[in-house]
């Protein structure tokens, strides 16, 4: 297995003409796949910045983890298509793949699974930390706090320049996030925390910690276990999205990795990003019946109304989100297994999808259902409360965040992330004191 960093190839140059200046030659960088990229580093030296709000045209880094072709609807983790990973592997194998670059063989997988399973407990003092939160706190607020607080617990393995310490941090995070996520749920409903069980699979253990009580075991349904495992796989990584970029930006300062993950969790929470699954289910429930759909479609199209159809559109995918296709199939499997035939949210979702895919407003803007369109319906059917949807996304995405953090820390090109701005404020002026000092 090789983790050597490869530099992009330079085959040609772009020339930038700025009036009154000599032409500036800018290398055009070519990665393994994907669009070519103009290297603008020279511009800063010449006194120019580039302006790209929302970073729609900016590559912030090179990466070997994930590839997306938004026009073709392709998503690859380390070169493997997402649908193959979702149907032929499980989440822990995908964690290994993202972290180490290759799928594990049987021995490697047994060793990795053992390590993860033996880090699932959190420090007992964490329980006191939970007690400090209001019971009605949103579980994402709690998760932000407790994940960041992990940085206060593992001083002995926090040398970010030591690859063994970095890997140890990754194992801890993969292992402890389900425990913390389930604790945030149990706390919100006033139930005692349920300790992890290392005889169960990663996903079955999470379901156990969520739904078992000291009075009753939770019997894990294999169809539900598999569905949740797929949700975890599909959410594991997604290139330089907002939350991953938050982790990288925080990580570029040399900050503690657990604190960097907390930055990712905070960024994921917003409804334009990971919070969309929660917002989408609430929207489907609010629409409630097929006859109300046209009024919501009209609102989504109205420029004067901030309402958007949650679960539609994506910054990168301009066709079907490949994760949504897998998710749609899994959604039907779960509803069949649970004999849910008259789920109003699913009926509304199916009709919304049909209308949006044939409506010129959505077609012209390439607005297709994204991964969050179906995940909420599945999680709801499993019995997971809406406020926990983004927590589950965060749990699954932790492997992506920490893999990016590790990739970044090991990179020869690591530099402090520090964007610039176009200043539009007041010109320099003098203070007029309101009293004498
Ligand atoms: N409903 C209605 N109109 C929409 C929607 C939507 N969901 N999404 C985009 N549009 C419209 C915009 O109004 C805009 O129209 P205009 O060109 O007439 O002004 C056009 O489509 C382009 O939209 P942008 O906001 O410029 O696209 P951007 O790439 O910045 O936004 C985003 C992507 C934020 C995901 C957006 O589509 C959205 O808000 N979707 C709903 C929230 C959602 O589902 N987010 C989850 C994304 S997946 C994830 O993070 C896991």
């Amino acid at each position: 297995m090789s983790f050597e960093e490869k530099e992009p190839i330079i085959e040609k140059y772009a020339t930038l003409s700025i009036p009154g200046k000599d032409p500036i030659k800018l290398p055009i960088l070519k990665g393994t796949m994907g669009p070519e990229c103009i290297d603008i580093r020279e511009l800063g030296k010449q006194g120019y910045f580039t302006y790209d709000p929302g970073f729609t045209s900016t590559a912030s880094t090179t990466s070997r983890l994930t590839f997306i072709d938004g026009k073709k609807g392709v998503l690859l983790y380390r070169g493997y298509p997402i649908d193959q990973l979702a149907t032929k592997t499980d989440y822990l194998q995908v964690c290994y793949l993202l972290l180490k670059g290759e799928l594990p063989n049987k021995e490697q997988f047994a060793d990795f699974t053992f390590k993860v399973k033996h880090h699932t407990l959190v420090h007992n003092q964490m329980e006191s930390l939970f007690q400090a939160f209001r019971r009605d706190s949103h579980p994402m607020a709690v998760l932000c706090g407790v994940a960041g607080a992990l940085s206060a617990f593992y001083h002995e393995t926090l040398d970010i320049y030591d690859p063994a310490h970095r890997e140890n941090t990754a194992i801890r995070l993969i292992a402890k996030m389900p425990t913390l996520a389930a604790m945030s749920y149990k706390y919100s409903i006033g139930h005692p925390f349920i300790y992890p069980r290392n005889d169960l699979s990663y996903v079955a253990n999470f379901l156990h910690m969520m739904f078992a009580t000291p009075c009753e075991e939770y019997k894990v349904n294999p169809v539900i276990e598999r569905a949740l495992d797929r949700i975890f796989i599909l959410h594991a990584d997604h290139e330089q999205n907002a939350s991953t970029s938050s982790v990288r930006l925080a990580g570029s300062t040399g900050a503690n990795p657990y604190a960097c993950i907390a930055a990712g969790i905070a960024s994921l929470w917003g409804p334009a990003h990971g919070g969309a699954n929660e917002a989408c289910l609430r929207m489907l429930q609010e629409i409630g019946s097929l006859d109300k759909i046209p009024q919501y479609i009209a609102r989504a199209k109205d420029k004067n109304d901030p309402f958007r159809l949650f679960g539609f559109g994506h910054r990168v995918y301009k066709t079907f989100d490949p994760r949504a296709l897998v998710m749609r199939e899994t959604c039907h499997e779960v509803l069949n297994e649970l004999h849910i035939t008259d789920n109003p949210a699913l009926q509304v979702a199916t009709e919304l999808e049909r209308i949006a895919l044939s409506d010129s407003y959505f077609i012209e803007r390439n607005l297709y259902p994204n991964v969050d369109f179906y995940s909420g319906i599945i999680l709801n059917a499993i019995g997971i409360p809406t406020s926990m949807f983004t927590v589950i996304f965060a749990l699954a995405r932790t492997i992506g965040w920490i893999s990016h953090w590790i990739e970044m820390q090991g990179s020869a090109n690591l530099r402090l992330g520090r964007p610039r701005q176009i200043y539009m404020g007041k010109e320099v002026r003098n203070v007029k004191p309101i009293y004498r000092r």
Side-chain angles (χ1 to χ4, degrees), residues 22 30 43 49 54 61 75 95 129 135 182 190 231 244 277 291 379 418 436:
D22 289 340
K30 202 169 179 290
L43 292 181
F49 300 149
T61 182
L75 169 61
C95 288
L129 196 56
R135 286 275 176 200
I231 290 181
T244 303
N277 52 13
D291 57 310
L379 294 173
R418 174 57 167 94
R436 283 181 190 280

Side-chain angles (χ1 to χ4, degrees), residues 283 299-300 305-310:
M283 177 193 76
R299 282 189 63 195
D305 189 330
F307 173 78
R308 284 189 166 192
L309 280 186
F310 288 103

Side-chain angles (χ1 to χ4, degrees), residues 56 235 238 241 268 270-277 280 300-301 303 307-316 318 321 323 361-362 365 367 370-373 393 397:
T56 52
H235 286 87
H238 212 230
N241 56 81
L268 187 77
H273 190 13
N277 52 13
C280 181
K301 293 179 183 178
K303 285 266 161 275
F307 173 78
R308 284 189 166 192
L309 280 186
F310 288 103
F312 279 85
H314 196 276
R315 171 57 64 78
V316 182
K318 299 306 169 197
D321 179 339
R323 302 167 300 173
Y361 174 92
F362 292 87
R365 289 167 182 76
L367 300 171
N370 59 46
V371 66
D372 290 323
F373 190 61
F393 191 161
R397 181 56 61 83

Side-chain angles (χ1 to χ4, degrees), residues 139-170:
M140 278 299 277
V142 176
L143 194 70
C144 272
V146 294
L150 287 174
S151 40
F153 285 86
Y154 300 109
H155 304 284
E156 78 288 5
T157 50
L158 275 178
D159 178 358
I160 62 172
Y161 304 107
D162 182 335
H165 284 201
R166 297 202 287 249
E167 184 164 328
N168 193 299
T169 302

Side-chain angles (χ1 to χ4, degrees), residues 49 249 252 415-421:
F49 300 149
L249 198 56
S252 77
R415 292 202 70 189
L416 170 70
R418 174 57 167 94
R420 301 303 303 263
Q421 63 173 8

